[in-house]
């Protein structure tokens, strides 16, 4: 049996990603230059799994901002962030969100990040268009820019809205167990603490100036993708900038489609992504929720040859034992029935998880039979079942 187990384990590998639509394939892992609405029109309906949008904030800055020493603050005053009125900004928001909703899969989700200048208007438009808000996530900055004029609280956070395509969307991806495990087995909260982009990650030009005024930290995008996507999923960023979304997607085994108007940003993003080394597939395996795993009958272990009739199972400390019968039931003295029923009866309990209670001899020691169930599940995943 040991050789059969070894052979089965050796042949198991993560499932390949499913083929993508031909219309989408030529845009995968590329940047489309142009207006975001026109560019999204090139993409097929319901073709992307996740959208991350970092739209213009419409900061409405009035004049230059200076530090107490009179040095000028390098704030976001680029032309792409300027709109004539709130009405113009709202029309722009509605247009790109309609386009985004068309290309989003029914099981997909969208993340939109903004500041107090725009996020409330964005949220209202999302609800008007039928998006269903799942969370608002606060990005708390460990090193926010000071409030130099001293007339307001220091603005130390930005808000992200996470939404599904509509109220009825129930099968969107949320890797709850993985997020909980990564957070010391405590539920991941909706306030995330990250520094603003700095150090070697911050892209600068030949003069030492920031290439993009609002470059987001890779750690922020990594958490978003790890929480709401799977390896092989397509992530769309309609405001690609210098390519944080693409860089993180490449590293984490996701595909991306970027849209950007400014050639300088496109050049910086392409150079940046060329330097990214993807993680190995084994490092990208994610902790899956139990409810998402296929049901496996104990009898399947016998049918696959992983256990034989007559095998003696024990608990972890060998205090109880039971014999496997050909029909997939166990017998232990006067007790007979399923792995769960017999496990409960020998302990004098009402219930028992037989998969973790019963152990088999793998040749090197005792191992829970749940490890054999995992082999069957990986076989199912590999075959696409």
């Amino acid at each position: 049996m040991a050789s059969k187990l070894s052979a089965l384990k050796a042949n198991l590998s993560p499932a390949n990603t499913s083929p993508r639509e031909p219309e989408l394939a030529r845009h995968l892992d590329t940047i489309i230059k142009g207006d975001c609405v026109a560019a999204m029109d090139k993409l097929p309906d319901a073709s992307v799994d996740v959208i991350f949008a970092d739209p213009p904030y419409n900061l409405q800055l009035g004049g230059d901002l200076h530090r107490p020493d009179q040095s000028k603050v390098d704030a976001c005053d680029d032309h792409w962030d300027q709109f004539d009125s709130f009405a113009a900004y709202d029309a722009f928001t509605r247009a790109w969100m309609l386009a985004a909703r068309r290309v989003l899969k029914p099981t997909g989700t969208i993340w939109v990040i903004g500041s107090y200048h725009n996020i409330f208007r964005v949220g209202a438009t999302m609800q008007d268009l039928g998006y269903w808000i799942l969370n608002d996530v606060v990005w708390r900055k460990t090193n926010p820019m000071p409030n130099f004029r001293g007339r307001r609280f220091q603005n130390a956070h930005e808000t992200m809205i996470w939404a599904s395509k509509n109220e009825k969307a129930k099968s969107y991806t949320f890797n709850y167990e993985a997020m909980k495990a990564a957070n010391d087995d405590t539920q991941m909260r909706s306030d995330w603490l990250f520094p603003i982009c700095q150090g070697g990650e911050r892209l600068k030009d030949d003069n030492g100036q920031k290439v993009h005024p609002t470059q987001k930290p890779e750690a922020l995008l990594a958490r978003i993708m790890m929480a709401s996507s799977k390896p092989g999923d397509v992530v769309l960023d309609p405001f690609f900038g210098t390519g944080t979304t693409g860089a993180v997607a490449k590293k984490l085994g996701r595909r991306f489609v970027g849209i950007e108007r400014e050639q300088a940003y496109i050049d910086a993003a392409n150079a940046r992504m060329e330097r990214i080394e993807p993680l190995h597939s084994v490092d990208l395996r994610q902790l899956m929720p139990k409810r998402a795993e296929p049901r496996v009958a104990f009898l399947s272990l016998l049918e696959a040859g992983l256990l034989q009739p007559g095998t003696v199972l024990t608990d972890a400390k060998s205090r109880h034992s039971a014999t496997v019968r050909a029909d997939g039931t166990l017998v232990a003295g006067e007790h007979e029935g399923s792995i769960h029923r017999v496990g409960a009866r020998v302990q004098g309990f009402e219930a028992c998880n037989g998969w973790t209670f019963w152990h088999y001899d793998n040749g090197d020691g005792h191992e829970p039979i749940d490890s054999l169930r995992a082999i069957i599940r990986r076989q199912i995943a590999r075959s696409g079942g």
Side-chain angles (χ1 to χ4, degrees), residues 93-360:
T93 300
R94 182 178 179 85
W96 77 256
M97 282 196 168
L98 278 170
R101 194 166 185 270
R102 180 186 65 80
V103 301
L104 190 64
K105 291 181 179 179
T107 56
T109 56
I110 180 172
W111 295 78
V112 186
I113 189 170
S115 71
Y116 66 89
H117 300 88
N118 72 322
I119 198 64
F120 302 108
R121 308 187 76 86
V122 166
T125 300
M126 293 181 79
Q127 291 180 311
D128 288 344
L129 294 179
Y131 288 99
W132 188 254
I133 294 178
L134 302 170
N135 277 113
D136 65 321
V137 177
V138 174
W139 166 29
R140 294 172 50 216
K141 303 174 183 179
T142 60
N143 52 345
M145 182 182 295
N147 184 272
F148 294 106
R149 292 173 177 166
R151 302 296 301 272
R152 303 179 183 180
F153 295 111
Q154 182 184 25
N155 185 30
H157 75 276
E158 292 184 31
T159 300
M160 294 183 291
I161 296 175
W162 182 40
S164 58
K165 192 168 184 175
N166 55 53
E167 181 181 1
K168 296 181 179 179
K170 304 298 182 184
S171 299
Y172 56 87
T173 296
F174 176 46
N175 299 315
Y176 169 80
E177 281 77 7
M179 290 293 98
K180 183 177 179 180
N183 196 42
D184 294 334
D185 290 324
T186 302
Q187 283 190 337
M188 183 74 74
R189 290 164 42 125
S190 60
D191 53 336
W192 298 356
L193 188 65
F194 293 109
I196 62 174
C197 193
Q198 59 184 344
E201 187 181 326
R202 169 67 77 173
L203 301 187
K204 295 186 178 180
D205 59 23
D206 294 338
N207 298 318
Q209 299 298 311
K210 293 183 291 187
V211 174
H212 195 290
T214 63
Q215 181 183 336
K216 296 301 182 289
E218 290 186 9
L220 184 70
L221 268 297
R223 183 172 294 184
I224 286 171
M225 291 187 203
M226 294 300 290
S228 59
S229 71
K230 301 181 291 293
D233 279 357
V234 177
V235 183
L236 168 67
D237 187 335
F239 307 98
F240 201 63
T242 53
T244 301
T245 299
V248 175
K250 182 178 178 181
K251 186 179 297 183
L252 296 181
R254 276 68 171 166
R255 313 300 298 273
F256 72 87
V257 178
I259 301 172
E260 178 52 53
R261 296 191 318 181
E262 307 296 325
Q263 187 62 47
Y265 293 160
I266 293 174
D267 293 342
N270 281 325
R272 176 185 188 181
M273 289 183 292
E274 286 180 2
R275 300 191 295 268
I276 297 295
E277 291 292 333
L279 294 174
H280 295 296
S281 59
V282 68
D283 298 321
L284 294 174
R285 294 278 299 276
Q286 290 184 255
L287 184 65
M288 297 301 294
K290 295 295 184 183
R291 63 180 179 275
E293 296 177 325
R295 292 185 63 86
V296 174
F298 179 69
L299 181 61
S300 299
L301 275 55
L302 280 73
E303 294 168 340
L306 300 179
L307 287 177
Q308 300 295 329
T311 299
V312 176
L313 306 179
T314 66
D315 68 301
K317 296 183 178 180
S318 299
R319 293 172 299 187
H320 306 285
S321 64
T323 301
V324 178
R325 299 197 293 199
D327 64 353
T329 61
L330 301 186
V331 58
E334 61 182 8
H335 306 297
E336 60 180 4
S338 70
I339 56 173
H340 310 296
R341 179 180 177 85
V342 174
R345 292 295 181 265
V346 298
Q347 298 177 87
F349 295 162
E350 289 296 322
C352 169
N353 183 348
W355 289 109
T356 56
F357 177 74
W358 292 113
H359 291 57
Y360 75 103

Side-chain angles (χ1 to χ4, degrees), residues 7-138:
L8 283 168
K9 292 178 179 178
N11 289 329
L12 292 174
S13 60
N16 293 326
T17 57
S18 59
R20 299 295 175 182
E21 299 87 340
E23 307 97 309
L24 179 68
R26 63 191 182 95
H27 296 298
L28 289 177
D29 305 325
T30 67
I31 306 172
I32 305 172
K33 182 178 180 180
D35 171 77
C36 64
V37 176
M40 279 189 275
D41 284 344
K42 299 178 181 180
L43 304 179
D45 293 353
S47 58
V48 302
D49 300 285
V50 178
I51 297 173
F52 174 77
D54 185 6
Y57 285 12
N58 193 27
L59 296 180
Q60 303 289 330
L61 295 176
D64 294 337
L65 182 62
H66 293 85
R67 299 181 179 87
D69 63 3
Q70 297 308 304
S71 60
K72 184 179 177 181
V73 175
D74 186 14
C76 181
D77 55 3
D78 298 72
H79 65 90
W80 47 259
D81 192 62
Q82 298 172 359
F83 293 81
D84 292 334
S85 64
F86 285 132
Y89 185 79
D90 292 344
F92 163 76
T93 300
R94 182 178 179 85
W96 77 256
M97 282 196 168
L98 278 170
R101 194 166 185 270
R102 180 186 65 80
V103 301
L104 190 64
K105 291 181 179 179
T107 56
T109 56
I110 180 172
W111 295 78
V112 186
I113 189 170
S115 71
Y116 66 89
H117 300 88
N118 72 322
I119 198 64
F120 302 108
R121 308 187 76 86
V122 166
T125 300
M126 293 181 79
Q127 291 180 311
D128 288 344
L129 294 179
Y131 288 99
W132 188 254
I133 294 178
L134 302 170
N135 277 113
D136 65 321
V137 177
V138 174

